[in-house]
Amino acid sequence: MTPMIEVDRLVRRFGPRVAVDDVSFAVAPGEVFGLLGPNGAGKTTTLRVVLTLLAPTSGTVRVAGLDVRRHGAAVRRWLGYVPQQLSVDGTLTARENLLLVAKLLGLPAAERTRRISRLLEQLHLAEVADQLVRTYSGGMVRRLEIGQAMLHQPRVLVLDEPTVGLDPTARHQIWHLLEQLRAETGMTVLLTTHYMEEAEQVCQRLAILHRGRVVALGTPAELKERSGRPDARLEEVFTAVTGEDWESGGTFHDLRQLGRRRRQG
């Protein structure tokens, strides 16, 4: 089976700093694949190369067989993206946010109306669709952002820390929604997270990144088996493969973004 996403010996440098160092992995069509690691491991940089937002320093990245460097515009038509940063306008309603994105995408008027109405139902936002987004909880805002990314019916959904700052109930709702959307559409999901228990529950396979390199790759069960302790937690697997304790405190920027999301709640 041809991979939906193929990353082959990816290197990305920022001046003398190597953010991603010889990273390789492949994601099958319909798979939920997670990049796991602490802040600074290279997860978001890898995503940005897949999204065509950054060019590889060396190596090859393909989406649906298309090289991201040579066929960026075509690749972007396959992709939906939910960033860490807030991406909706709180002074607009949910319906207005979706309508704005639909117009930017160039969807015909009748198609815009149909897709927005269906998405609002799927997102469980139909009853509050005409309320200002600034009155929403953090979980509602995140569901709306997923809706924006799904408007053009992408085959690949890319999520960067999709549940950061959300309480456990809201996180569960987000993952339930995503599984429903994936079951309906067959889309592939590539995500980053530093929540170990979340990664174990939602990802079919994982790549653990440490200092820009893939240090372990496989299903959660395979990673535990290789550590010599099938009953181990993923935090313990990380320690076993890196020799370091897991850290997920984040940077000042991460905490500032977290604060913004909490204020939405």
Side-chain angles (χ1 to χ4, degrees):
M1 182 181 295
T2 302
M4 182 60 74
I5 301 170
E6 187 175 9
V7 177
D8 184 23
R9 306 201 68 176
L10 173 64
V11 175
R12 174 65 201 195
R13 294 189 179 90
F14 296 94
R17 184 174 72 87
V18 181
V20 178
D21 187 6
D22 200 32
V23 164
S24 296
F25 61 87
V27 185
E31 185 176 22
V32 180
F33 189 95
L35 299 179
L36 185 63
N39 292 294
K43 305 187 305 296
T44 296
T45 299
T46 300
L47 284 197
R48 288 176 177 167
V49 175
V50 172
L51 290 161
T52 77
L53 298 175
L54 289 172
T57 302
S58 64
T60 304
V61 177
R62 296 184 180 88
V63 176
L66 300 169
D67 188 291
V68 298
R69 191 195 296 268
R70 292 183 293 162
H71 306 288
V75 167
R76 287 189 287 275
R77 287 194 287 271
W78 285 80
L79 299 170
Y81 175 41
V82 181
Q84 288 185 39
Q85 293 80 9
L86 195 64
S87 60
V88 294
D89 188 336
T91 66
L92 301 177
T93 67
R95 194 184 307 277
E96 289 168 339
N97 271 283
L98 290 170
L99 181 60
L100 177 61
V101 173
K103 287 182 176 180
L104 291 172
L105 291 169
L107 295 178
E111 187 67 10
R112 290 199 299 260
T113 300
R114 185 185 69 80
R115 290 194 193 183
I116 288 171
S117 295
R118 176 163 172 73
L119 271 173
L120 287 169
E121 292 290 342
Q122 290 176 309
L123 300 168
H124 305 291
L125 293 176
E127 293 185 2
V128 295
D130 298 307
Q131 295 179 19
L132 294 181
V133 170
R134 67 187 179 198
T135 67
Y136 285 11
S137 69
M140 293 164 70
V141 169
R142 207 52 164 162
R143 296 203 303 272
L144 177 58
E145 291 176 315
I146 291 169
Q148 289 183 154
M150 294 294 296
L151 263 171
H152 65 298
Q153 299 176 333
R155 297 292 301 276
V156 179
L157 184 63
V158 179
L159 306 159
D160 194 2
E161 302 284 359
T163 58
V164 65
L166 300 183
D167 62 48
T169 299
R171 285 167 61 189
H172 175 77
Q173 291 171 343
I174 292 297
W175 289 119
H176 181 67
L177 168 64
L178 287 167
E179 182 53 35
Q180 284 183 318
L181 292 172
R182 191 178 71 87
E184 285 184 19
T185 65
M187 68 182 177
T188 303
V189 178
L190 175 64
L191 65 96
T192 70
T193 183
H194 59 239
Y195 293 136
M196 292 286 195
E197 75 285 358
E198 186 171 89
E200 185 169 358
Q201 291 169 8
V202 305
C203 296
Q204 293 163 300
R205 287 192 306 134
L206 297 164
I208 297 179
L209 272 64
H210 180 56
R211 298 181 180 178
R213 298 183 68 90
V214 174
V215 294
L217 177 66
T219 68
E222 287 170 346
L223 296 181
K224 292 179 180 183
E225 190 71 36
R226 290 175 203 157
S227 75
R229 290 184 51 197
D231 60 342
R233 294 178 297 130
L234 280 180
E235 290 94 333
E236 296 170 310
V237 174
F238 178 85
T239 301
V241 297
T242 67
E244 297 186 15
D245 292 332
W246 179 259
E247 296 177 0
S248 58
T251 63
F252 174 80
H253 174 77
D254 299 323
L255 294 174
R256 183 170 62 182
Q257 293 299 326
L258 178 59
R260 290 182 67 184
R261 290 206 174 278
R262 283 180 172 165
R263 286 195 293 275
Q264 287 289 330

